[in-house]
């Protein structure tokens, strides 16, 4: 079924053309884009029906979303009517809901609705998980074609900015990247899916909600048609956090391919300067050594997985590091001066002298003494 505009009824061959068309029926959106404070109800709760908070069958996020919808009905638009079907994976509903979500977030972010940054934050997280779940459900039924159509429709390169709803699309793409890698191998991951994830740090900083979604990019290491290896190298100076977490994830997935990237990173003399981590300045080369420090440590999180995804419990938490890989990392630590010497019981965790390693040491000592 061709995508169709709800306002003007025009049909389009692609979701991208639907999203970008100049709709003559946009008066409805314009009318809801500029609510005044007086138009917003102060309390629409029907006391005779009981307080929503008393419904133990609803989780906290659901209750928060319902409160937003009661307090800002003119801002949320059609989202309350679409969200249940969208979350269930209905493709028509998810397409319309994501478009409406974008309109709502854009309206608030440009100041055309009361509430400012706080309301934008609340709206973003109120619909983040259900829309990501819904798009993922649609993709599990319809395959990669669905996700690639959304990636094309919301391509940041086409509009020269990251879309307001890009975090939802990246989340669903990330889930499918991991599933595909584990079930079919890296060759089965579409290159365009990795390109969408890899573009995120080019457009937003590490404090943006979508930045965390970009780390799933590491699952594409050694892809035949999209060089996940080259991208971290290109961003090593400007986006050290992306590079570190992506590289860490890549080691969990394919330690030998990741080692090649790692060696190039830590021996590149053009990479210099420091990065602030846990309140202290750390040399970038040392930071990249920390990307391998947790591979043998069960206490930490393991490879990156998208937020809200319940299948991440099945992912490995510890890597059985090849002795040759470990030896090469140790040699590089000595060659670069990150380690002055190594003891007989040297481990990868010795590469991270940060507060986090201290915490892990305390946890280990506590268990030993109990």
């Amino acid at each position: 079924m061709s995508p169709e505009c709800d306002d003007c009824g025009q049909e389009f061959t692609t979701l991208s053309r639907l999203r970008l068309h100049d709709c003559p029926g946009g008066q409805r959106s314009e009318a809801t884009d500029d609510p005044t404070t007086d138009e917003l109800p102060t309390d629409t709760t029907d006391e005779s029906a009981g307080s929503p908070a008393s419904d133990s069958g609803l989780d906290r996020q659901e209750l928060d979303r319902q409160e937003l919808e009661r307090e800002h009905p003119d801002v949320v638009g059609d989202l309350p009517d679409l969200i249940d079907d969208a979350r269930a994976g209905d493709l028509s509903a998810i397409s319309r809901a994501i478009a409406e979500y974008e309109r709502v977030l854009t309206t608030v972010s440009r100041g055309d609705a009361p509430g400012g940054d706080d309301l934008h934050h609340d709206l973003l997280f109120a619909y983040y998980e259900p829309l990501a779940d819904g798009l993922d459900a649609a993709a599990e039924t319809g395959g990669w074609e669905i996700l690639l159509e959304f990636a094309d429709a919301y391509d940041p390169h086409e509009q020269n900015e990251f879309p307001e709803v890009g975090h939802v699309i990246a989340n669903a793409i990330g889930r499918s990247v991991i599933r595909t890698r584990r079930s079919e191998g890296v060759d089965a991951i579409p290159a365009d899916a990795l390109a969408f994830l890899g573009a995120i740090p080019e457009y937003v900083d590490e404090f943006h909600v979508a930045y965390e979604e970009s780390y799933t990019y590491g699952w594409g290491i050694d892809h035949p048609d999209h060089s996940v290896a080259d991208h971290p190298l290109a961003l090593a100076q400007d986006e050290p956090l992306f590079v570190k977490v992506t590289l860490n994830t890549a080691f969990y997935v394919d330690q030998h391919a990741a080692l090649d990237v790692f060696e190039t990173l830590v021996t590149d003399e053009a990479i210099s300067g420091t990065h602030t981590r846990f309140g202290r300045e750390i040399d970038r080369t040392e930071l990249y050594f920390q990307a391998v420090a947790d591979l043998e440590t069960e206490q930490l999180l393991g490879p990156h997985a998208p937020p809200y995804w319940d299948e991440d419990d099945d992912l490995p938490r510890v890597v059985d590091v090849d002795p040759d890989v470990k030896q090469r990392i140790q040699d590089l630590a000595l060659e670069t001066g990150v380690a002055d010497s190594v003891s007989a019981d040297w481990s990868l965790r010795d590469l991270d002298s940060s507060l986090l390693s201290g915490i892990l040491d305390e946890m280990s000592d506590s268990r030993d003494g109990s």
Side-chain angles (χ1 to χ4, degrees), residues 231-284:
H231 199 46
L233 295 175
L235 296 179
Q237 188 66 25
D238 297 326
E239 299 295 339
L241 184 59
F242 166 77
V243 174
K244 175 186 178 292
V245 182
T246 297
L247 181 61
N248 172 261
T249 294
F251 264 100
Y252 281 94
V253 178
D254 184 338
Q255 58 184 289
H256 295 91
L259 179 64
D260 292 338
V261 182
F262 174 78
E263 181 166 356
T264 303
L265 272 175
V266 300
T267 58
D268 187 345
E269 295 181 357
I271 297 174
S272 61
T274 61
H275 178 72
T276 302
R277 184 169 183 250
F278 296 121
R280 72 184 184 96
E281 294 291 318
I282 182 171
D283 180 83
R284 274 186 174 78

Side-chain angles (χ1 to χ4, degrees), residues 158-350:
E158 290 295 322
Q159 51 193 313
N160 201 31
E161 64 179 357
F162 199 71
E164 285 275 11
V165 296
H167 54 287
V168 168
I169 298 164
N171 184 288
I173 286 176
R175 300 184 196 195
S176 284
V177 163
I178 297 174
R179 285 197 198 100
T180 302
R181 174 90 197 211
R182 301 188 77 202
S183 63
E184 303 175 53
V186 66
D187 292 11
I189 300 172
D192 287 346
L194 295 174
F196 188 90
L197 296 175
I200 295 174
E202 299 177 37
Y203 290 93
V204 302
D205 63 28
E206 63 187 72
F207 303 105
H208 191 284
V209 65
Y211 201 89
E212 182 181 355
E213 299 287 4
S214 70
Y215 303 150
T216 314
Y217 186 72
W219 282 89
I221 188 71
D222 209 29
H223 193 279
D225 301 318
H226 180 92
S227 181
V228 169
D230 288 346
H231 199 46
L233 295 175
L235 296 179
Q237 188 66 25
D238 297 326
E239 299 295 339
L241 184 59
F242 166 77
V243 174
K244 175 186 178 292
V245 182
T246 297
L247 181 61
N248 172 261
T249 294
F251 264 100
Y252 281 94
V253 178
D254 184 338
Q255 58 184 289
H256 295 91
L259 179 64
D260 292 338
V261 182
F262 174 78
E263 181 166 356
T264 303
L265 272 175
V266 300
T267 58
D268 187 345
E269 295 181 357
I271 297 174
S272 61
T274 61
H275 178 72
T276 302
R277 184 169 183 250
F278 296 121
R280 72 184 184 96
E281 294 291 318
I282 182 171
D283 180 83
R284 274 186 174 78
T285 300
E286 183 181 346
L287 178 72
Y288 294 141
F289 269 95
Q290 292 179 3
V292 300
D294 71 337
L295 298 180
E296 300 174 306
T297 306
E298 288 189 53
Q299 295 101 317
L300 295 183
L301 298 178
H304 179 76
Y308 307 120
W309 190 42
D310 56 11
E311 294 178 36
D312 67 339
D313 290 339
D314 297 330
L315 301 181
R317 299 296 182 227
V318 178
V319 177
D320 184 12
V321 182
D322 185 303
D324 291 339
V325 171
K326 188 172 181 178
Q327 182 62 55
R328 184 56 187 146
I329 293 172
Q330 184 185 95
D331 292 344
L332 288 167
L334 292 170
E335 291 171 17
T336 58
V338 169
D340 295 329
S341 61
V342 294
S343 61
D345 60 349
W346 182 87
S347 70
L348 293 177
R349 211 175 82 191
D350 293 335

Side-chain angles (χ1 to χ4, degrees), residues 114-134:
D117 291 343
D118 288 342
L119 180 58
H120 185 277
H121 172 276
D122 292 345
L123 288 166
L124 187 150
F125 283 100
Y127 297 99
Y128 186 175
E129 180 177 2
L131 289 177
D133 287 346

Side-chain angles (χ1 to χ4, degrees), residues 74-155:
D74 293 326
V75 178
V76 298
D78 294 335
L79 277 173
D81 298 327
L82 296 169
I83 194 64
D84 288 339
D85 287 342
R87 178 166 40 192
D90 180 277
L91 185 56
S92 176
I94 194 69
S95 298
R96 294 166 59 200
I98 288 178
E100 184 73 343
Y101 185 48
E102 180 185 41
R103 185 194 66 79
V104 167
L105 292 177
T106 301
T107 296
V108 177
S109 66
R110 72 188 182 196
D112 291 342
D117 291 343
D118 288 342
L119 180 58
H120 185 277
H121 172 276
D122 292 345
L123 288 166
L124 187 150
F125 283 100
Y127 297 99
Y128 186 175
E129 180 177 2
L131 289 177
D133 287 346
L135 184 54
D136 180 48
E140 284 204 88
T141 301
W144 271 110
E145 181 180 350
I146 289 172
L147 292 176
L148 295 179
E149 186 171 1
F150 275 91
D152 178 66
Y154 294 90
D155 183 358

